[in-house]
Amino acid sequence: MADKYMELVNTGLTKKLATMLGLPRPPRLRRYSPDAALLPGPVLILGASAKAQELSDTLVSWGLDVRRHDAGEAKLGGLVLLLDELERPTDLSPLMLAAGQALRKLLPGGRVVAFSRPAGDDDEPQLSAVRQGIDGVVRSMGREMRGGATANGIVLEAGTTVASPSALAALRFFFSGRSAYVDGQFLTVRTNDGVLPADFAKPLAGKVAVVTGAARGIGAAIAKTLSRDGAQVVVVDMPAAGEALAKVANSIGATTLQLDVTAEDAAQQIMDHAIGRHGSLDLVIHNAGITRDKLLANMDAGRWDSVIAVNIASQLRMNEAFLAAKLPGLRIVSLASTSGIAGNRGQTNYAASKGGVIGMVHASAKLFAENGGSIAAVAPGFIETEMTAKIPLGTRTVARMVLPSLMQGGLPVDVAEAISFLGSDAAAGLNGQVLRVCGQSLVGA
Ligand code: NAD
């Protein structure tokens, strides 16, 4: 339905009518295709930063037309703001006003990416103020974007620079169509770990990846995306979903494992299958999840316990077993939800499980790093799947339209792109990250 509406308000006579009536016109998002240009036009870099030249050289090597000064009327595909050396809030003015002028020339599907440093409790108040202020700037810019353009930020922790591998990888992710539904968000570069792929079209070449709950919806999209990005995929789902699972597997040359992730030995079965059939286990995507919504006043033990068992307890148990097996370089990406961040009526059980995923990721990052691995989560907002199809139509329609920046729900592939990126070696320096894929809204399942 969202697609039909978008088609109508963006084409021919109905477009004119929609404009006359002042109906919201959700833009077509610039999604990833391996053959598409990284940005729709030249990129302007404003501001100063250590290693800015290295950054600029890298962007040129990616085939981008890089400008260091705003040159008149030329349209822009991207804008990079180097804000990491600012010392006090009054420093922002010249750069932000110049950025404002540049924004007028940003093409549909364009990208703004700001580099900054984290605001720390031990910093000088001036310094902490400007750094925290940049957070507000980027989130506000995201809400001012038009035509499917987005604004996101990269936060550089001590010891990292704009040219650190994961900073460059995050920048490329934000530039590309892979981040179409990510807006007003930040990725934090914690270390100089990470290796950029030899081939950006195959960042997961040679990896064996397991996706749970892969028979449909977001899980099926993740499996397809990881396979497109070069991974050998193992798809996992309940025996009852066997037929759908086989279809997904056949479409991408994956192998299937019928398994309830709440089984005590789920991790062992996954390791046995991946290592036995494909020689290693490099990436696990904890995607299997359920909703059993009820107001807390009407909640019963069955609903509460099943959501906790599938959405978080199973992941904790599996991760413990993976850690005990000391698999070298194992990366985990888990599915959180904006409900676990902002809460959602009727979803106390689900929010407990998804907030739980976020807590698990934060506390597990150092444990997976000990074997050269990492863990991250993606928190989707409103994504069009069978799960969200169960939301009453009125709520669903309002949910799509009130999405402030992009005015539409996301697609399963939008979540899958973020997962593929966070599960890649290039993202190793982003260990412990939770990235919202929500079109800058907090409505979702
Ligand atoms: P979905 O219901 O369409 O698919 C979930 C899949 O998981 C199904 O194939 C199901 O059979 C499988 N599954 C359920 N329990 C399982 C178990 N015990 N063992 C193995 N497989 C099991 O859901 P979806 O919308 O594709 O959501 C996928 C994930 O994304 C979930 O973790 C969900 O919480 C999360 N999420 C979805 C949205 C959204 O808007 N759709 C938003 C935020 C988060």
Side-chain angles (χ1 to χ4, degrees):
M1 182 209 150
D3 276 356
K4 274 190 202 139
Y5 179 82
M6 198 181 308
E7 190 69 35
L8 282 173
V9 297
N10 280 307
T11 41
L13 270 180
T14 42
K15 173 178 170 181
K16 278 191 191 144
L17 192 65
T19 313
M20 268 165 51
L21 293 173
L23 292 178
R25 283 184 42 216
R28 283 180 210 284
L29 302 187
R30 179 171 67 86
R31 289 198 164 86
Y32 176 75
S33 127
D35 319 318
L38 188 54
L39 282 174
V43 55
L44 173 65
I45 303 179
L46 291 177
S49 176
K51 309 249 176 142
Q53 189 56 46
E54 212 175 303
L55 171 75
S56 169
D57 293 345
T58 305
L59 299 196
V60 170
S61 77
W62 290 350
L64 291 171
D65 174 356
V66 180
R67 316 272 168 94
R68 289 307 305 265
H69 301 283
D70 195 356
E73 292 307 303
K75 293 280 184 201
L76 292 172
L79 175 62
V80 174
L81 302 175
L82 304 176
L83 308 176
D84 54 304
E85 292 184 349
L86 302 188
E87 292 174 353
R88 56 192 72 78
T90 45
D91 292 347
L92 275 165
S93 172
L95 264 169
M96 293 320 302
L97 295 177
Q101 292 307 305
L103 277 188
R104 293 162 175 260
K105 291 173 255 177
L106 196 66
L107 289 160
R111 298 286 192 260
V112 178
V113 183
F115 282 98
S116 59
R117 298 262 173 206
D121 291 353
D122 298 328
D123 291 337
E124 286 292 314
Q126 295 258 22
L127 188 61
S128 182
V130 66
R131 290 179 173 178
Q132 193 62 43
I134 291 165
D135 186 280
V137 166
V138 172
R139 293 182 198 277
S140 301
M141 284 174 89
R143 296 191 190 280
E144 293 182 10
M145 294 286 131
R146 298 268 167 89
T150 61
N152 292 290
I154 298 171
V155 179
L156 304 167
E157 286 199 347
T160 67
T161 72
V162 295
S164 295
S166 289
L168 294 171
L171 181 61
R172 196 175 164 106
F173 169 72
F174 283 139
F175 276 174
S176 84
R178 288 177 185 269
S179 66
Y181 200 60
V182 182
D183 199 8
Q185 303 306 311
F186 289 85
L187 284 169
T188 300
V189 183
R190 304 231 155 91
T191 66
N192 287 308
D193 294 331
V195 185
L196 293 177
D199 177 359
F200 281 109
K202 297 280 176 208
L204 299 178
K207 303 290 182 187
V208 178
V210 171
V211 184
T212 68
R216 65 181 204 189
I218 295 173
I222 295 168
K224 288 175 186 167
T225 303
L226 300 185
S227 169
R228 180 205 66 194
D229 286 348
Q232 168 62 54
V233 177
V234 178
V235 289
V236 176
D237 211 300
M238 299 285 276
E243 209 175 306
L245 190 66
K247 266 196 194 148
V248 174
N250 288 341
S251 70
I252 55 172
T255 55
T256 60
L257 175 60
Q258 294 187 5
L259 169 73
D260 180 337
V261 294
T262 63
E264 282 292 327
D265 65 344
Q268 195 56 52
Q269 287 199 50
I270 286 174
M271 289 188 282
D272 288 350
H273 180 104
I275 297 166
R277 297 281 289 271
H278 305 295
S280 70
L281 177 59
D282 305 299
L283 180 56
V284 175
I285 314 299
H286 289 308
N287 165 77
I290 58 171
T291 48
R292 296 287 182 269
D293 295 2
K294 267 285 177 211
L295 293 179
L296 184 57
N298 303 326
M299 186 66 71
D300 55 79
R303 284 192 167 83
W304 187 279
D305 293 343
S306 56
V307 166
I308 298 293
V310 176
N311 294 4
I312 178 69
S314 71
Q315 298 189 15
L316 287 163
R317 191 184 308 113
M318 283 189 273
N319 286 356
E320 246 177 60
F322 294 141
L323 284 166
K326 295 191 186 305
L327 300 175
L330 178 67
R331 303 199 188 286
I332 306 275
V333 187
S334 184
L335 267 287
S337 163
T338 50
S339 293
I341 300 172
N344 209 7
R345 187 181 150 84
Q347 291 201 317
T348 47
N349 52 350
Y350 185 74
S353 72
K354 295 300 185 177
V357 165
I358 295 171
M360 173 189 79
V361 165
H362 289 156
S364 306
K366 56 183 180 307
L367 305 177
F368 280 97
E370 279 169 19
N371 291 308
S374 63
I375 183 166
V378 168
F382 186 86
I383 305 296
E384 309 273 358
T385 65
E386 286 176 47
M387 188 183 265
T388 45
K390 288 188 199 137
I391 299 173
L393 182 65
T395 317
R396 226 185 317 148
T397 310
V398 171
R400 287 185 189 123
M401 294 311 163
V402 297
L403 300 175
S405 317
L406 302 173
M407 290 187 279
Q408 57 198 288
L411 298 181
V413 71
D414 298 325
V415 179
E417 297 285 11
I419 285 173
S420 181
F421 167 62
L422 288 171
S424 70
D425 287 348
L430 306 171
N431 189 15
Q433 217 74 190
V434 177
L435 179 66
R436 273 166 48 195
V437 177
C438 67
Q440 215 182 7
S441 107
L442 283 171
V443 184

